[in-house]
């Protein structure tokens, strides 16, 4: 279950063209590109390589581990149709820059088990038709 988007401050570039931020147990890579900030997941969807160490070439971030290239505008993988990099909107509020993240609320074990039991009662996930 997703909650309302949360704004996470990006801080200032301070001469950097890339840096990491963390929120909710996850890391995000921030890239300065043509005067604008771009935020993506910090790890490559292929094998979790550190995108912050990758090359930016022709508008794409190239993972340093296996050379998968992701378009920084769309997150589309230019190397394989199997992978997609999450991109996040950057907004300005009162002169400060923020990334807008949709935070997923954790599901309690009891809620998970109740949902699982209900799906079994209704024949979902059993190969049987309801």
């Amino acid at each position: 279950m997703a909650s309302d988007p949360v704004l996470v401050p990006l801080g200032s570039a301070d001469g950097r063209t890339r840096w990491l931020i963390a929120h909710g147990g996850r890391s995000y890579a921030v890239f300065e590109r043509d005067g604008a900030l771009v935020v993506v997941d910090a790890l490559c969807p292929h094998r979790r390589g550190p995108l912050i160490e990758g090359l930016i070439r022709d508008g794409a971030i190239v993972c340093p581990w296996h050379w998968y290239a992701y378009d920084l505008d769309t997150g589309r993988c230019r190397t394989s149709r199997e992978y997609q990099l999450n991109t996040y909107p950057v907004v300005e509020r009162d002169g400060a820059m923020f990334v807008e993240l949709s935070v997923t609320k954790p599901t309690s074990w009891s809620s998970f088990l109740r949902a699982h039991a209900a799906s079994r009662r209704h024949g979902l996930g059993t190969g049987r038709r309801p």
Side-chain angles (χ1 to χ4, degrees), residues 117-129:
S119 69
R120 302 284 295 185
R121 268 195 311 276
H122 298 301
L124 301 176
T126 63
R128 295 181 290 156
R129 298 183 128 213

Side-chain angles (χ1 to χ4, degrees), residues 34-87:
D34 300 326
L37 297 178
V38 177
V39 179
V40 299
D41 286 332
L43 300 176
C44 177
H46 171 244
R47 293 284 176 130
R48 303 182 58 77
L51 293 176
I52 199 75
E53 297 174 14
L55 300 171
I56 295 180
R57 180 172 288 154
D58 299 324
I61 182 68
V62 180
C63 180
W65 284 7
H66 301 106
W67 302 100
Y68 280 74
Y70 300 92
D71 186 286
L72 283 171
D73 292 325
T74 65
R76 183 182 61 79
C77 183
R78 295 180 180 176
T79 314
S80 171
R81 292 182 188 176
E82 293 180 48
Y83 300 102
Q84 174 78 25
L85 179 66
N86 291 322
T87 61

Side-chain angles (χ1 to χ4, degrees), residues 6-11 16 19-30 39-43 52 88 98-99 101 103:
V6 64
L7 295 179
V8 177
L10 295 177
R16 302 175 292 179
W19 64 94
L20 292 173
I21 63 166
H23 180 77
R26 293 188 58 192
S27 294
Y28 304 90
V30 182
V39 179
V40 299
D41 286 332
L43 300 176
I52 199 75
Y88 303 93
F98 297 85
V99 62
L101 301 175
V103 178

